[in-house]
Amino acid sequence: MKKLFLITLLFLINHTIFSQESIAIIPKPVSVVMHNGNFVIDAKTSILYDFHNKELSNAVQFFSSSIKEISGIELRKNLHQEKSVNFQIKQIPNIGKEGYQLQITPTSITITANSKAGIVYAVQSILQLLPGVRTNAILKLPCVTIEDYPRFEWRGMHLDVSRHFFSPEIIKEYINLMARYKMNVFHWHLVDDQGWRIEIKKYPKLTSVGAWRVDYTNLVWGNRPQAKPNDDATYGGYYTQYQIKEIVAYAAERNITIVPEIEMPGHVASAIAAYPELSCSQKFQLPLTGGNYTNISSNYCAGNDSVFTFLQNVLTEVMQLFPSKYIHVGGDEVDKTPWKNCVKCQNRIKQEGLKNEEELQSYFMKIIEKFIISKNRKMIGWDEILEGGLAPEATVMSWRGEAGGIEAAKQKHNVVMTPGTPCYFDHYQTGPEGEPLAIGGMNTLKTVYDYEPIPKELNDENKKYVLGAQANLWTEFVTTAEHVEYMVLPRMLALSEVLWSKKDAKDWIDFNKRLQPSFKYFDEKGFHYSKGNFNVEIKPTSINNKLSVTLTSEIPNAIIVYTTNGTEPNTLSNVYTNPIEINASLTLKAAVVVNNKVMSVKPAEQKFVIHKAIGKNVTYQYSISKYYMANGNNSLTDGVTGTFAVNKYWHGINEKDLIATIDLAEIKSITNISINCLQKYADWIFLPTSVQFEISTDGINYTTVGKDVNNISTSIKEPTIKTFSATFNQANARYIRFSAYNLKECPKGHPGEGKPAWLFADEIIVN
Ligand code: ACM
Ligand code: ZN
C-alpha cells in the first residue's frame, strides 16, 4: 500500500511537470486545463472551416502553410477524415475581439473566436507547442483546453528605421517575431533627421535626397562630422509605396496594425535637406550623419502656410497606404530656438495671439490634428504635445517617464505608456560589459517583466484611458538585423506577458521556465538574443552602525559566489546564503554560477571602508539633489564607496557647493580625513575645484586642518574618481566639516558649456 502510494505520487509529480512544460506559452494564457493524451497532425488530418468567410480562409491559410513549413504535411481542407482541425468564427461572450478558445482532444482541434484576430492567436499558441523548424515528421500536440484574451488593446513595438535603414525582409522578420508573442501594433518610425524612409509621390526629393546621408558608419554616432555640400551621400534607403502596401498586408494577416510615424515639427533635417524652403532658415543642408546638430535646421517653419500644405499632401499619401486608425506625428524634442529667431514664426505667434513657442507647437499640432480627424483618423504624438495645450482629441505616447501619460489620462485623453524605464529597448539589458555598445541606461528582462502599465496615480475612472504600452527601439547604435534581434529578445516576451496576461498571474520563476522553449526556438532559427542578466546586485544596509550586505540575482535558482580578498570569484568560492556582515575594510566581489559555470561577464564589485565616522549623522548646508540621494542622508558615512555608476552611492548637487558637517557623537582622536569625488564628463559631473577640511570640538569654533586643490583637468573624458584628503597631527574632534567647491559651470568646449555643473561626492573617511 505504502509503495503503491509512492508510485502514484511520483506519477502525479511527473505528470504535473510534463503538463506544465508541454504548455510553455508566452504570453501566459488566461486559462489552461490539461488533459491526458495527444492530437497527432498527420496526413489523415483535415481542416474544416467555412470557406465563404474570407477572413477565416485567410487565417486557415496561415495555419496550413505554417504546418507545411514545419512538417511538410499538406493538410486537406473540408474533407471529412478521422481527425480534424475545426475553425469557427462565432459570438462568444467575455473574450473580446482578440480572444480565442482552443480545445485539443485526441481526435480534434477546435478553434473558436469572435474574429479573425482570435483565430490567428489560437494558431500562434499552437505554433508555440510545435517544433520551430522543419522536422519532416508528424506533429504531436498535448490535449488541452485554453481560453485566452488580452489585458490591453495596444501591445506595441516600435522600430526606428531612420537612424538605420532596415530592409523589407528585416521588417517582416520583426513582424513575425511580434506576431508569435501576440504583439499587435508596429510603430514604424519612418522619419527623422538622419533619413526620410517613405516614398511620397508628390515630393520625390524626400527620398531621392532625404533618404541618403554621407556614410560615417565607421564612427560612433556622436562623433560623426557633418556632411559638406559636395560630399557623396551613399548610406540609406527607403520603402517604395508598393513595398509598404505589401508589408501592411503581411502585418494585417498576423493581426498587426502598422502605425506610421511621420515626425513633425522637429527631427526633420532630412525633409529640409530635400526641400530647404520648409525650414525657418531656408538654407541648403544634407541629412544628418549622426548626432551632431551644429548649424542644422531640424524644424519646419511654423509661420509658413506652405509647410501645412506640404504636410497635408504627405499625410494624404500616408493615409492611403496605412489603414491604421492612429497616425503618429512625433512632436518630441523640438528645439524652439529657430522659431524664436524667425520673423514668420514670430508673426504667427502675434497673429494667433499665442503666448510663446510652446503654444506655437500646440497651434501646429492642432492644425494637423484637424486634418487627420477630417480623414476619420486619430492623431497620436509623443508627450511633448501636451506642452502649450493638447490638441482636442490627441492620444499621447508617454516616453519621458510616466508623467505625460498620467497628465493626459487625467485630461481624459487616451495614452500609450512607453516610459524610458523599462520600455526603451535601446538600453543595455545586462551590461554594459559583454554587450554591444548601446546608447546607455539599463532595462533588464526582469525590470520589463515587473512593469505595470497603469500608473498608481490614476483612479478607476482615468485608468481606462491607458490603451496599453509599447517598447521603443531607436537605432543610433543598432545597424544589423542580428543586433535588432538581440535588443528585443527576450525583452519583448516579457512585455508581451505584461500586456496580454492577467496582472495577478505574473510569476517570474514560471516565466523563466516558459522562456526555455523560446530560447530553443531562437537557437533553431538562428536568432540572436540575450541569455539573461547574470549581474549580481550588491545591496548594503547600515543599521545601528552595523554594515551588512545582501546579494541578489535575477536568475531563478542561481548560485551566487563571492570573495572578500580581492580575488575573482569562481565555482569554489564562498556560496552566498545569508546577509554578509562587514566588520573590516574590504572589497567584495560576487558572480552568478549556473550549471557549475560562472555566468557573470564581470563580477560585481564593491569596496567597503570601516572608519571612525561610520553610521554618523551628516547635515548639509545646501540640499542634495533629490535625484542623487543614494542610500539617504547618511550615504557619506555608510562605509560604501561609489563606483562609476552615478545613480548609486553618490550624493550629487547641482551648481552649489557641497558643504557637510559630520557629528561623531563624541570627541575622538583623528589624524586623517578624506572624501572621494567623481568626474564624469559625459554626465556633466566635474571634480570640485578644491576641498577644505575643518574640525571642531563644540560645533561652533572650527579649525582648518587642510585644503586639497584639484589637479585633474576638467577636460578628462574618462570617468575618474579622485580622493581629496587632509593629514595632520593628532587632534581631538567631535565635528568635521568639509566644503567641496563646485566648478559651478560646465567648462568651455563641453556640450553643456556655461550651464550648471554637477558635483558628486561619496564616503567621507575619518581615521
Ligand atoms: C523620443 O525618444 N525622442 C521619443
Ligand atoms: Zn519659422
Coordinates of all heavy atoms in Angstrom, one line a residue, residues 606-654:
Q606 N 32.3 45.7 -5.0 CA 32.0 46.9 -4.1 C 33.1 47.0 -3.0 O 33.4 46.0 -2.3 CB 30.6 46.7 -3.5 CG 30.2 47.9 -2.6 CD 30.2 49.2 -3.3 OE1 29.5 49.3 -4.4 NE2 30.9 50.2 -2.9
K607 N 33.6 48.2 -2.8 CA 34.6 48.4 -1.8 C 33.9 48.9 -0.5 O 33.0 49.8 -0.6 CB 35.6 49.5 -2.3 CG 36.9 49.5 -1.6 CD 37.8 50.4 -2.3 CE 38.7 51.1 -1.3 NZ 39.4 52.3 -1.8
F608 N 34.3 48.4 0.6 CA 33.7 48.9 1.9 C 34.9 49.4 2.7 O 35.9 48.8 2.8 CB 33.0 47.8 2.7 CG 31.8 47.2 1.9 CD1 32.0 46.1 1.1 CD2 30.6 47.8 2.0 CE1 30.9 45.6 0.4 CE2 29.5 47.4 1.2 CZ 29.7 46.2 0.4
V609 N 34.7 50.5 3.4 CA 35.7 51.1 4.3 C 35.1 51.2 5.7 O 34.1 51.9 5.8 CB 36.2 52.5 3.8 CG1 37.6 52.7 4.1 CG2 35.9 52.7 2.3
I610 N 35.8 50.7 6.6 CA 35.4 50.9 8.0 C 36.3 52.0 8.6 O 37.5 52.0 8.5 CB 35.6 49.5 8.8 CG1 34.7 48.4 8.1 CG2 35.2 49.7 10.3 CD1 33.2 48.7 8.1
H611 N 35.6 53.0 9.2 CA 36.4 54.1 9.7 C 35.6 54.7 10.9 O 34.5 54.3 11.3 CB 36.7 55.1 8.6 CG 35.4 55.6 7.9 ND1 34.7 56.6 8.3 CD2 34.8 55.0 6.8 CE1 33.6 56.7 7.5 NE2 33.6 55.8 6.6
K612 N 36.2 55.8 11.4 CA 35.6 56.4 12.7 C 34.3 57.1 12.5 O 33.6 57.4 13.5 CB 36.6 57.3 13.3 CG 37.8 56.5 13.9 CD 38.8 57.4 14.7 CE 39.8 56.5 15.4 NZ 41.0 57.3 15.7
A613 N 33.9 57.4 11.3 CA 32.6 58.1 11.1 C 31.4 57.2 10.6 O 30.4 57.7 10.4 CB 32.8 59.2 10.1
I614 N 31.7 55.9 10.6 CA 30.6 55.0 10.1 C 29.3 55.2 10.9 O 29.3 55.2 12.1 CB 31.1 53.5 10.3 CG1 32.1 53.2 9.2 CG2 29.9 52.6 10.2 CD1 31.6 52.7 7.9
G615 N 28.2 55.4 10.1 CA 26.9 55.4 10.7 C 26.6 56.8 11.4 O 25.5 57.0 11.9
K616 N 27.6 57.7 11.3 CA 27.3 59.0 12.0 C 26.5 60.0 11.1 O 26.4 59.9 9.9 CB 28.7 59.7 12.3 CG 29.7 58.9 13.1 CD 29.1 58.4 14.4 CE 30.1 57.6 15.2 NZ 29.5 56.5 15.9
N617 N 25.8 60.9 11.8 CA 24.9 61.8 11.2 C 25.6 62.9 10.4 O 26.6 63.5 10.9 CB 23.9 62.4 12.2 CG 22.9 61.4 12.6 OD1 22.6 60.5 11.8 ND2 22.3 61.6 13.8
V618 N 25.0 63.2 9.2 CA 25.6 64.2 8.3 C 24.5 65.3 8.1 O 23.4 64.9 7.9 CB 26.0 63.6 7.0 CG1 26.7 64.6 6.1 CG2 26.9 62.4 7.2
T619 N 24.9 66.6 8.2 CA 24.0 67.6 7.8 C 24.6 68.5 6.7 O 25.8 68.6 6.7 CB 23.6 68.5 9.0 OG1 24.8 68.9 9.7 CG2 22.7 67.8 10.1
Y620 N 23.7 69.0 5.9 CA 24.2 69.7 4.7 C 23.8 71.2 4.7 O 22.7 71.5 5.2 CB 23.6 69.1 3.4 CG 24.1 67.7 3.2 CD1 23.3 66.6 3.8 CD2 25.2 67.4 2.5 CE1 23.8 65.3 3.6 CE2 25.7 66.1 2.4 CZ 25.0 65.1 2.9 OH 25.4 63.8 2.7
Q621 N 24.7 72.1 4.3 CA 24.3 73.5 4.1 C 23.3 73.7 3.0 O 22.3 74.4 3.1 CB 25.6 74.3 3.9 CG 25.3 75.8 3.8 CD 26.5 76.6 4.1 OE1 27.5 76.2 4.7 NE2 26.4 77.9 3.7
Y622 N 23.6 73.0 1.8 CA 22.6 73.1 0.7 C 22.1 71.7 0.5 O 22.9 70.7 0.5 CB 23.3 73.6 -0.6 CG 24.0 74.9 -0.4 CD1 25.4 75.1 -0.4 CD2 23.2 76.1 -0.2 CE1 26.0 76.3 -0.2 CE2 23.8 77.3 0.0 CZ 25.2 77.4 0.0 OH 25.8 78.6 0.1
S623 N 20.8 71.5 0.1 CA 20.3 70.2 0.0 C 20.9 69.4 -1.2 O 21.2 70.0 -2.3 CB 18.8 70.2 -0.3 OG 18.2 71.1 0.6
I624 N 21.0 68.1 -1.0 CA 21.4 67.2 -2.1 C 20.3 67.1 -3.1 O 19.1 67.1 -2.7 CB 21.7 65.9 -1.4 CG1 22.9 66.0 -0.4 CG2 22.0 64.8 -2.5 CD1 24.1 66.5 -1.0
S625 N 20.6 66.9 -4.4 CA 19.6 66.8 -5.4 C 18.7 65.5 -5.0 O 19.2 64.5 -4.7 CB 20.2 66.6 -6.8 OG 19.3 65.9 -7.6
K626 N 17.4 65.7 -5.2 CA 16.5 64.5 -4.9 C 16.8 63.3 -5.8 O 16.4 62.2 -5.5 CB 15.0 65.0 -5.0 CG 14.5 65.4 -6.3 CD 13.0 65.6 -6.2 CE 12.4 65.7 -7.6 NZ 12.2 66.9 -8.2
Y627 N 17.4 63.6 -7.0 CA 17.7 62.5 -7.9 C 18.9 61.7 -7.4 O 19.2 60.6 -7.9 CB 18.0 63.0 -9.3 CG 16.8 63.8 -9.9 CD1 16.9 65.2 -10.0 CD2 15.6 63.2 -10.2 CE1 15.9 65.9 -10.5 CE2 14.6 63.9 -10.7 CZ 14.7 65.3 -10.8 OH 13.6 66.0 -11.3
Y628 N 19.8 62.3 -6.6 CA 21.0 61.6 -6.2 C 21.1 61.5 -4.7 O 22.1 62.0 -4.1 CB 22.2 62.3 -6.8 CG 22.2 62.3 -8.3 CD1 21.9 63.4 -9.1 CD2 22.4 61.1 -9.0 CE1 21.7 63.4 -10.5 CE2 22.3 61.0 -10.4 CZ 22.0 62.2 -11.1 OH 21.9 62.1 -12.5
M629 N 20.1 60.9 -4.1 CA 20.1 60.8 -2.6 C 20.9 59.5 -2.2 O 21.0 59.3 -1.0 CB 18.7 60.8 -2.1 CG 18.0 62.1 -2.1 SD 18.9 63.3 -1.2 CE 18.7 62.7 0.5
A630 N 21.3 58.7 -3.1 CA 22.0 57.4 -2.8 C 21.2 56.6 -1.8 O 20.0 56.5 -1.9 CB 23.4 57.7 -2.4
N631 N 21.8 56.2 -0.7 CA 21.1 55.5 0.3 C 20.5 56.4 1.4 O 20.2 55.9 2.5 CB 22.0 54.5 1.0 CG 22.5 53.4 0.1 OD1 21.8 53.0 -0.8 ND2 23.7 52.9 0.3
G632 N 20.3 57.6 1.1 CA 19.7 58.5 2.0 C 20.7 59.5 2.7 O 21.9 59.5 2.2
N633 N 20.3 60.2 3.7 CA 21.0 61.3 4.3 C 22.5 60.9 4.7 O 23.4 61.7 4.6 CB 20.3 61.8 5.5 CG 20.0 63.3 5.4 OD1 20.4 63.8 4.3 ND2 19.4 63.9 6.4
N634 N 22.6 59.7 5.3 CA 24.0 59.3 5.8 C 24.8 58.5 4.8 O 25.6 57.7 5.2 CB 23.8 58.6 7.1 CG 23.4 59.5 8.2 OD1 23.3 60.7 8.0 ND2 23.0 59.0 9.3
S635 N 24.5 58.7 3.5 CA 25.3 57.9 2.5 C 26.8 58.1 2.6 O 27.6 57.3 2.1 CB 24.8 58.2 1.1 OG 23.5 57.7 0.9
L636 N 27.2 59.3 3.1 CA 28.6 59.6 3.1 C 29.3 58.9 4.2 O 30.5 58.8 4.3 CB 28.8 61.1 3.3 CG 28.4 62.0 2.1 CD1 28.9 63.5 2.4 CD2 29.1 61.5 0.8
T637 N 28.5 58.3 5.1 CA 29.1 57.6 6.3 C 28.6 56.1 6.4 O 28.5 55.6 7.5 CB 28.8 58.3 7.6 OG1 27.4 58.5 7.7 CG2 29.4 59.7 7.7
D638 N 28.2 55.6 5.2 CA 27.7 54.2 5.3 C 28.7 53.1 4.9 O 28.4 51.9 4.8 CB 26.5 54.0 4.3 CG 26.8 54.2 2.9 OD1 28.0 54.5 2.6 OD2 25.9 54.2 2.0
G639 N 30.0 53.5 4.8 CA 31.0 52.5 4.5 C 31.1 52.0 3.1 O 31.9 51.2 2.8
V640 N 30.2 52.5 2.3 CA 30.1 52.0 0.9 C 30.7 53.1 0.0 O 30.2 54.3 0.0 CB 28.6 51.8 0.5 CG1 28.6 51.2 -0.9 CG2 28.0 50.9 1.5
T641 N 31.6 52.8 -0.9 CA 32.2 53.8 -1.7 C 31.6 53.8 -3.1 O 31.3 52.7 -3.6 CB 33.7 53.7 -1.8 OG1 34.0 52.5 -2.4 CG2 34.4 53.8 -0.4
G642 N 31.4 54.9 -3.7 CA 30.8 55.0 -5.0 C 31.7 54.4 -6.1 O 32.9 54.4 -6.0
T643 N 31.0 53.8 -7.1 CA 31.7 53.3 -8.3 C 31.4 54.2 -9.5 O 30.9 55.4 -9.3 CB 31.2 51.9 -8.6 OG1 29.8 52.0 -8.9 CG2 31.4 51.0 -7.4
F644 N 31.6 53.8 -10.7 CA 31.3 54.7 -11.8 C 29.8 54.8 -12.2 O 29.4 55.5 -13.1 CB 32.2 54.3 -13.1 CG 33.6 54.5 -12.9 CD1 34.6 53.5 -13.0 CD2 34.1 55.8 -12.5 CE1 35.9 53.8 -12.8 CE2 35.4 56.0 -12.3 CZ 36.3 55.0 -12.5
A645 N 29.0 54.0 -11.5 CA 27.6 54.1 -11.7 C 27.0 55.3 -10.9 O 27.1 55.3 -9.7 CB 26.9 52.8 -11.3
V646 N 26.5 56.3 -11.7 CA 26.2 57.6 -11.0 C 24.9 57.5 -10.2 O 24.7 58.3 -9.3 CB 26.1 58.7 -12.0 CG1 27.4 59.0 -12.7 CG2 25.0 58.5 -13.0
N647 N 24.1 56.5 -10.5 CA 22.8 56.5 -9.8 C 22.8 55.7 -8.5 O 21.8 55.5 -7.9 CB 21.7 55.9 -10.7 CG 22.1 54.6 -11.3 OD1 23.3 54.2 -11.1 ND2 21.2 53.9 -11.9
K648 N 24.0 55.3 -8.1 CA 24.1 54.6 -6.8 C 25.2 55.2 -6.0 O 26.3 55.6 -6.5 CB 24.5 53.1 -7.1 CG 23.3 52.3 -7.4 CD 23.4 50.8 -7.5 CE 24.6 50.0 -7.6 NZ 24.3 48.6 -8.0
Y649 N 25.0 55.2 -4.7 CA 26.1 55.6 -3.7 C 26.6 57.0 -3.7 O 27.1 57.5 -2.7 CB 27.3 54.6 -3.8 CG 26.9 53.2 -3.9 CD1 27.4 52.3 -4.8 CD2 25.9 52.7 -3.0 CE1 27.0 50.9 -4.8 CE2 25.4 51.4 -3.1 CZ 26.0 50.5 -3.9 OH 25.6 49.2 -4.0
W650 N 26.4 57.7 -4.8 CA 26.9 59.1 -4.8 C 25.9 60.1 -4.4 O 24.7 60.0 -4.7 CB 27.4 59.5 -6.3 CG 28.6 58.7 -6.7 CD1 28.6 57.6 -7.5 CD2 29.9 59.0 -6.4 NE1 29.8 57.2 -7.7 CE2 30.7 58.0 -7.1 CE3 30.6 60.0 -5.7 CZ2 32.1 58.0 -7.0 CZ3 32.0 59.9 -5.6 CH2 32.7 59.0 -6.3
H651 N 26.3 61.1 -3.7 CA 25.5 62.3 -3.4 C 25.8 63.3 -4.5 O 27.0 63.6 -4.6 CB 25.7 62.8 -2.0 CG 24.8 62.3 -1.0 ND1 24.8 62.6 0.3 CD2 23.8 61.4 -1.1 CE1 23.9 62.0 1.0 NE2 23.2 61.2 0.1
G652 N 24.8 63.8 -5.1 CA 25.0 64.8 -6.2 C 24.4 66.1 -5.9 O 23.3 66.2 -5.2
I653 N 25.0 67.2 -6.3 CA 24.5 68.6 -6.0 C 24.8 69.4 -7.3 O 25.9 69.3 -7.9 CB 25.1 69.2 -4.7 CG1 24.3 70.5 -4.4 CG2 26.5 69.4 -4.8 CD1 24.6 70.9 -2.9
N654 N 23.8 70.2 -7.7 CA 23.9 70.9 -8.9 C 24.3 72.4 -8.6 O 23.6 73.0 -7.8 CB 22.6 70.8 -9.7 CG 22.7 71.2 -11.2 OD1 21.9 71.8 -11.7 ND2 23.8 70.8 -11.8

